[in-house]
Structure formats: C-alpha cells, structure tokens
C-alpha cells in the first residue's frame, strides 16, 4: 500500500535492502558506467523485433534498475537526483512492472554487453534484479516451479532417483543391442572412474537418445567413465533466477558427488547454461575450489577423434548443416572454435551462419525463457532475426550445443515455417562412428571387468 512517497510496501523495502547486499564491484561498475550512447540498442533481438517500442532498449531496461541504485546507494542520486534520474519503488505493482522487464524483455544473452564501449554488463545486474524479486516471491510461475524442483528434488525437472536409474538401464539395454555386446555398460556410481559424466534433466525426461549416443561414443573410445546417481544435473536455475544460494547448492551437489566417487574429471553434456554454471560460475556460488578438471563433452569428443580413440566417417551425415552458438558458450565461456572443428569432422557440408560466435543472436530460449509461458508470444516475436539468420544459410539442419537452444530453435523454426531440423553434436558424432574391430576389443575389456566384479 502506497500512502505517499515515504511509505513503501514490505516487499519493496525488502528489495531495496537486499540490493545493498548484492552490489559487487562488477555490478556497481556497470550501473555507473553507462553514458546512454545507444550503441547497445540495435544489438538486442527484442529491439529488432519491436523497433517502435523504446521499452525494449537495453539502456531503458537498465535504467529501471539503475534508478534504484542511484536513489539508495550512489552519492549522485542524493545531490543530483533529477540529473541522474534517481528513483525508487514503493508498491508491489511497481515490482510487478519491474518483473515484466527483467524476466519478460531480456534473456540475459549478453549481446548488448559485448557491443557496449563502456563494458556495461546489463545481464549481470538484470540477473541481480531477478534475484531481488525472487527474494520477495515476485517471479513468473514457471520460474518458481523449476527452482523449487531443483531445490527439493535435486534437478530442475523433478526426475526421481529411481526414474533416472531406470532410464539409464533402459539406454544400457539399447547400447548392448546396437553394439551387439551384452557386456556393454553405462556404469552408475563407479568408483575411481576417469570421467564422471553429468547431463541435463531434459535428456533423461525428454531426449534419452542423447544419453545413448554419448554412451556409444564412450564405449567406442574404451573410456573408463561413470554417471552419478545423485548430483547428475549439471544445469543450474540459479543462473536464471538470480538466486546465488540455489546456484551454490546445485553446483556443490555436482562437485561433492565427483569427490565421493573419486572421479578424475567432470564432463558435462552439451548445455550452454549448464557449462557456464558448473564450470565458470559454480565455484564462486558454492564458495569452493574444485580440484578436478571440468570440461564440455564437445572438447571430450574432439579429443577422442584427434587421439584416434574413435573413428568417424562424415559421409554418414549427408545433407547441409549450420551451427548456432549458445549465448552462454560463446559470449560467457569462449567456446566457439571447438564445436566448429568437431562439426567439420563429422559432416561434409558445413555452412557458417552470420553473424556468428560471440555476435550470434539468441535462440530466444536463454535466461530461463522456456519456463515463462506468459511471455511466449513476446519471445517468438523476438525470434524473427534468428529465423532470418537460419533461412539465409540455406542449410537443412541447424546444430547446437545446448538443450535450451534446441527447444528455442525448434519453436522459432515452427513459428516462422523455416523448414529446418535441429540436432546436437553428440547425435552427429555418434551417427558418424566407424564401428570396426574396436567392438571386439571392448567386448573383451568389459567382460574382464565384469568377471573382476564377480
């Protein structure tokens, strides 16, 4: 209830107080550095889809957060409030309006950031603003639901342990049939493995073929690996809802299970935000160092080919292919060249998409947008530039290294009738595998391991 400028709702006051606890040097630097030059405007896919609406401009969206900082935490707001456009929030309705911007008009893709001459990182303080709102229970329903699943069940799709194990056992049977080797295994909770392989819950619940494809590759490489029965979800909704505590808890589960299994290396399946969260952000959120190596499965697969552990035949993947860079992989982690090198090894016709790498446009599924159904129409409209990018390649299939991107691209392709398939590198590498006498070698190896286990 707003009874005047000195009255503030309980939630609005909590948001203001919480902001003071979240102001890091990185965030303050971005909040103070903007000179409103407008260089970021045309970098945003929301702006390109809504050219007549200034409320989509990155600078405008940033100002909705910046005014709070200026009013409450920056000296310029105290002495020159009108000049620096300082302002506050007083009602829950104003917080709802802020929610509409920070969740519904930005996917935290960071394309505006790399185009900012002042280095303003809107995505970083937009994430902070999301966290402030979540702290007082103001968020899209889907965001609340997914975060709750990850807090309480341990993965963001609420997959129970028995269902996870059942899915792995099912895929193990498929592996044995395809490899014609009854001893082929997808090990669970194997101690002292060289690789602990973690996945996206979407693979378990909706796309187990990617687990099978990864298992084929590990099998052919003769890899000593395992999947953990706990802490196998390497995705992290804390990146999307701005909750550092959730981010730390989820990342910590993954790290703890690698240690408990005495694994030597953590490998993450193809997922942009999972890779960024677990490898780059997780140690900070969890407040711990990780003593083992962590890498994307893209790098693992590429290394197998280079080291001769697996052989591939690119003629097994006919047709034309282009590559979509995940925003988190390309702009936040620098993972741009390895996927292209790998793709070029497993397909004959690879066509680059323009712009690409760090300048690539978001698939519209970033920032947890796929869980916010209330903004779907807005999201699909913003995908127009991506649809045009895809069409211009003339390719039959778009490849990506992110499950969110698979869903985002699929939505766009359907909405704009692009007529293109979507797949991931693991599917193409598995399909290109050359099955030679290595199967006989592996059959002997796994049979010997089983005999040792009794």
């Amino acid at each position: 209830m707003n009874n005047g400028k000195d009255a503030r709702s309980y939630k609005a006051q909590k948001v203001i107080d919480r902001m003071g606890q979240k102001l890091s040097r990185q965030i303050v630097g971005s909040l103070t550095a903007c000179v409103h030059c407008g260089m970021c405007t045309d970098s945003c896919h929301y702006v390109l889809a809504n050219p007549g609406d200034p409320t989509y401009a990155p600078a405008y969206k940033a100002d909705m957060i910046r005014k709070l900082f200026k009013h409450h935490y920056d000296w310029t707001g105290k002495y020159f409030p009108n000049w620096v456009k300082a302002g506050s929030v007083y009602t829950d309705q104003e917080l709802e309006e802020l929610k509409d911007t920070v969740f519904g008009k930005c996917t935290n893709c960071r394309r505006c950031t790399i185009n900012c001459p002042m280095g303003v990182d809107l995505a970083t303080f937009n994430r902070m603003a999301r966290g402030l709102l979540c702290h007082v229970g103001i968020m899209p329903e889907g965001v609340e639901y997914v975060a709750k699943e990850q807090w309480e069940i341990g993965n963001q799709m609420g997959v129970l342990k028995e269902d996870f194990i059942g899915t792995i056992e099912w895929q193990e049977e498929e592996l044995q049939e395809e490899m014609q080797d009854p001893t082929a295994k997808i090990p669970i909770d194997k101690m002292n493995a060289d690789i602990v392989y973690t996945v996206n819950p979407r693979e378990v619940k909706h796309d187990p073929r990617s687990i099978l494809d990864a298992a084929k590759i590990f099998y052919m490489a003769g890899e000593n690996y395992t999947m953990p029965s706990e802490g196998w979800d390497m995705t992290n909704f804390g990146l999307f809802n701005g909750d550092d505590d959730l981010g730390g808890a989820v990342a910590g589960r993954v790290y703890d299970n690698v240690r408990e299994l005495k694994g030597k290396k953590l490998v993450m399946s193809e997922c942009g935000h999972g890779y960024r969260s677990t490898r780059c952000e997780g140690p900070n959120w969890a407040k711990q160092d990780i003593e083992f190596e962590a890498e994307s499965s893209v790098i693992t697969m590429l290394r197998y080919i280079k080291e001769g552990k697996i052989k591939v035949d690119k003629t097994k993947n006919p047709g034309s292919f282009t590559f979509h860079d995940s925003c988190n992989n390309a702009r936040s982690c620098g993972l741009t060249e390895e996927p292209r090198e790998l793709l070029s090894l497993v397909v004959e016709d690879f066509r680059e998409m323009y712009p690409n790498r760090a300048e690539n446009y978001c698939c519209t599924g970033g920032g947890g947008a796929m869980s916010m159904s209330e903004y779907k129409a807005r999201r699909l409209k913003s995908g127009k530039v991506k649809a045009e990018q895809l069409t211009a390649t003339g390719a039959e299939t778009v490849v990506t290294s992110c499950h969110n991107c698979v869903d985002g691209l699929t939505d766009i392709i359907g909405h704009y009738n692009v007529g293109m398939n979507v797949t991931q590198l693991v599917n193409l590498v598995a399909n290109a595998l050359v099955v030679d006498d290595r199967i006989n070698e592996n059959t002997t190896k796994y049979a010997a391991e089983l005999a040792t286990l009794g």
Side-chain angles (χ1 to χ4, degrees):
M1 192 69 182
N2 181 11
N3 296 317
K5 284 298 183 184
D6 293 330
R8 183 174 285 114
S9 73
Y10 174 77
K11 289 183 177 179
Q13 187 60 53
K14 292 275 286 185
V15 164
I16 298 302
D17 293 342
R18 183 79 169 174
M19 174 180 263
Q21 301 168 17
K22 294 295 180 181
L23 292 175
S24 65
R25 178 182 296 181
Q26 180 188 16
I27 289 174
V28 171
S30 287
L31 286 168
T32 56
C34 180
V35 294
H36 295 84
C37 67
M39 294 286 286
C40 58
T41 304
D42 289 339
S43 67
C44 177
H45 56 290
Y46 280 102
V47 172
L48 297 177
N50 301 276
D53 188 344
T55 66
Y56 286 98
Y60 179 93
K61 291 181 281 191
D63 279 349
M64 292 192 68
I65 306 165
R66 185 176 291 111
K67 71 175 185 180
L68 305 180
F69 167 74
K70 292 289 186 182
H71 184 88
H72 296 279
Y73 296 103
D74 187 57
W75 67 270
T76 60
K78 180 178 181 179
Y79 295 103
F80 314 106
N82 293 329
W83 183 32
V84 299
K85 298 180 180 178
S88 190
V89 287
Y90 297 91
T91 69
D92 292 356
Q93 179 56 40
E94 289 175 305
L95 296 181
E96 289 287 342
E97 292 168 4
L98 182 60
K99 181 193 81 173
D100 186 72
T101 294
V102 301
F103 284 101
K105 294 184 177 180
C106 178
T107 56
N108 285 355
C109 78
R110 301 186 75 231
R111 195 168 192 273
C112 61
T113 298
I114 65 166
N115 284 281
C116 175
M118 303 301 292
V120 173
D121 193 344
L122 169 60
T124 296
F125 62 83
N126 193 68
R127 177 180 177 272
M128 176 197 70
R130 288 183 175 195
L132 300 180
L133 294 173
C134 289
H135 184 63
V136 296
I138 293 180
M139 69 194 93
E141 184 178 352
V143 171
E144 182 177 16
Y145 178 79
V146 175
K148 184 172 181 290
E149 295 280 70
Q150 203 158 30
W151 266 122
E152 297 181 356
I153 300 180
N155 62 84
Q156 62 166 281
M157 290 193 175
V159 179
L160 299 176
K161 183 175 181 178
E162 54 266 35
D163 293 332
F164 172 75
I165 293 175
T167 299
I168 300 305
E169 290 175 343
W170 166 35
Q171 295 310 301
E172 183 177 275
E173 292 173 4
E174 296 286 323
L175 176 69
Q176 291 171 354
E177 183 175 338
E178 291 205 24
M179 295 294 113
Q180 299 180 358
D181 178 5
T183 69
K185 304 287 291 181
I186 302 180
I188 298 176
D189 292 339
K190 179 181 178 182
M191 297 294 295
N192 300 305
D194 293 329
I195 283 178
V196 176
Y197 185 58
T198 54
V199 296
N200 184 315
R202 179 182 177 277
E203 299 179 68
V204 182
K205 198 162 186 174
H206 300 300
D207 190 17
R209 65 176 180 147
S210 62
I211 296 175
L212 174 60
D213 283 345
K216 291 180 195 173
I217 296 165
F218 285 136
Y219 175 85
M220 292 301 293
E223 185 60 81
N224 173 28
Y225 80 107
T226 190
M227 296 185 72
S229 62
E230 302 279 359
W232 50 265
D233 179 7
M234 53 72 176
T235 68
N236 198 321
F237 220 70
L239 180 67
F240 296 153
N241 74 352
D243 184 349
D244 292 346
D245 293 336
L246 175 60
V250 173
R253 285 180 199 141
V254 175
Y255 305 152
D256 289 345
N257 279 283
V258 175
R259 294 186 182 107
E260 287 180 15
L261 294 172
K262 300 186 185 304
K264 296 180 178 63
K265 180 185 290 186
L266 170 64
V267 171
M268 294 149 278
S269 67
E270 292 177 88
C271 177
H273 101 266
Y275 180 63
R276 176 183 170 188
S277 297
T278 306
R279 184 174 184 272
C280 306
E281 310 283 1
N284 290 328
W285 294 333
K287 297 180 174 59
Q288 57 178 278
D289 295 325
I290 54 174
E291 65 280 13
F292 45 82
E293 189 178 350
E295 71 180 17
S296 164
S297 62
V298 173
I299 296 172
T300 309
M301 291 186 285
L302 181 59
R303 186 174 64 251
Y304 286 166
I305 295 175
K306 288 184 173 180
E307 293 177 352
K309 288 187 174 182
I310 61 173
K311 297 177 183 176
V312 290
D313 177 1
K314 60 173 66 177
T315 65
K316 290 186 173 185
N317 288 315
S320 52
F321 298 82
T322 189
F323 186 74
H324 163 79
D325 290 277
S326 150
C327 299
N328 282 305
N329 279 343
R331 277 192 278 277
S332 295
C333 301
L335 189 63
T336 57
E337 305 312 308
E338 294 89 346
R340 284 174 169 77
E341 188 176 2
L342 181 58
L343 181 57
S344 297
L345 291 169
V346 295
V347 304
E348 289 186 301
D349 185 353
F350 167 45
R351 305 174 183 183
E352 194 63 86
M353 188 187 306
Y354 296 97
N356 53 55
R357 295 176 171 81
E359 286 285 354
N360 196 30
Y361 285 102
C362 178
C363 70
T364 76
M370 301 305 293
S371 64
M372 307 176 203
S373 59
E374 59 268 60
Y375 303 129
K376 183 176 181 179
R378 192 184 292 177
R379 177 174 66 79
L380 290 174
K381 184 178 181 182
S382 77
K384 183 173 181 292
V385 63
K386 174 53 66 179
E388 292 171 349
Q389 265 195 297
L390 294 169
T391 302
T393 67
E396 298 166 289
T397 301
V398 56
V399 185
T400 187
S401 283
C402 175
H403 282 273
N404 269 347
C405 294
V406 169
D407 290 336
L409 292 169
T410 300
D411 272 2
I412 289 173
I413 287 168
H415 184 73
Y416 289 98
N417 297 313
V418 175
M420 184 178 278
N421 301 311
V422 186
T423 193
Q424 292 189 279
L425 284 164
V426 68
N427 308 127
L428 294 173
V429 173
N431 195 56
L433 284 171
V434 175
V435 180
D436 52 15
D437 56 0
R438 186 156 297 152
I439 282 188
N440 294 328
E441 296 173 14
N442 288 340
T443 301
T444 304
K445 174 183 175 182
Y446 289 119
E449 287 187 6
L450 285 174
T452 303
L453 295 173

